[in-house]
Amino acid sequence: MDAAFPEPSLYTIKAVAILDNDGERIVAKYFDETFPTAKEQRAFEKNLFNKTHRANAEIIMLEGITCVYRSNVDLFFYVMGSSNENELILASVLNCLYDSVSQMLRKNVEKRALMDNLDGVFLAVDEIVDGGIILEADPNAVVQRVALRTEDVPLTEQTVAQVLQSAKEQIKWSLLK
């Protein structure tokens, strides 16, 4: 190949992040060693947020990284790739992430609802991207994989949030009878 074009790679995503309206990290997953320490990651996120929180654009090139982003109410969704990555691929991952979270939160995409369903959001990120490789770009498929019924999962394998939710449901139904 020509020296101007790098060899094609499956490793297209460098990071996925969701920040609140103060620029604080809610969800972040880095897939390479561009920012090896948490301190460097947070500094990059703060810089990214400062450049994007007032902008009306959907894409920015920052520190040699292509970032596509989307904001909603009090959340900012970011997908990052290398400087020569196809922006349409990054945008499709961003749209998948946003639409998956939107479906999981029943169109109530805000910080409080996201924090209440944080375990599902982490699962969605893992279903969409693994190790920088895009696994899924269909939000419906992601939501189906994430939406395990708590009744089907043994009590020993449930998260604390799932156990509490199950207990709330049982108490509610026992009071309604």
Side-chain angles (χ1 to χ4, degrees):
M1 286 191 94
D2 187 30
F5 295 106
E7 198 65 36
S9 172
L10 290 175
Y11 298 96
T12 56
I13 307 297
K14 287 189 173 289
V16 173
I18 301 174
L19 306 179
D20 67 7
N21 58 353
D22 297 322
E24 296 298 320
R25 175 190 294 189
I26 296 174
V27 174
K29 194 154 189 184
Y30 288 80
F31 301 108
D32 69 355
E33 293 300 315
T34 304
F35 302 103
T37 66
K39 185 177 180 182
E40 291 173 320
Q41 292 171 3
R42 288 196 186 269
F44 175 75
E45 291 165 11
K46 200 64 160 170
N47 190 15
L48 179 63
F49 177 77
N50 288 335
K51 299 277 189 204
T52 60
H53 76 283
R54 288 193 204 119
N56 291 331
E58 297 174 347
I59 185 168
I60 188 171
M61 180 76 86
L62 184 66
E63 297 180 24
I65 294 178
T66 303
C67 305
V68 293
Y69 61 96
R70 182 173 184 175
S71 65
N72 185 21
V73 185
D74 57 355
L75 296 173
F76 289 82
F77 293 76
Y78 297 94
V79 174
M80 296 155 251
S82 68
S83 60
N84 54 13
E85 195 55 61
N86 185 334
E87 294 86 3
L88 294 175
I89 292 174
L90 297 176
S92 72
V93 171
L94 176 66
N95 290 334
C96 179
L97 174 65
Y98 181 84
D99 292 344
S100 299
V101 169
S102 179
Q103 284 181 33
M104 288 171 18
L105 301 180
R106 294 173 183 81
K107 307 273 188 237
N108 184 25
V109 183
E110 60 183 27
K111 183 178 178 180
R112 180 179 163 87
L114 187 117
M115 295 301 276
D116 289 342
N117 295 290
L118 197 58
D119 54 343
V121 174
F122 275 110
L123 287 172
V125 170
D126 288 341
E127 287 293 332
I128 297 168
V129 181
D130 183 35
I133 299 173
I134 301 169
L135 298 178
E136 187 63 67
D138 178 20
N140 295 324
V142 171
V143 170
Q144 280 183 337
R145 290 191 190 129
V146 170
L148 283 176
R149 311 251 355 145
T150 54
E151 300 89 41
D152 300 341
V153 180
L155 188 61
T156 57
E157 294 181 17
Q158 290 184 10
T159 65
V160 174
Q162 289 172 323
V163 171
L164 289 174
Q165 184 63 35
S166 178
K168 284 180 190 176
E169 291 292 320
Q170 289 176 2
I171 291 170
K172 182 172 75 174
W173 286 111
S174 67
L175 292 174
L176 291 175
K177 288 183 180 179

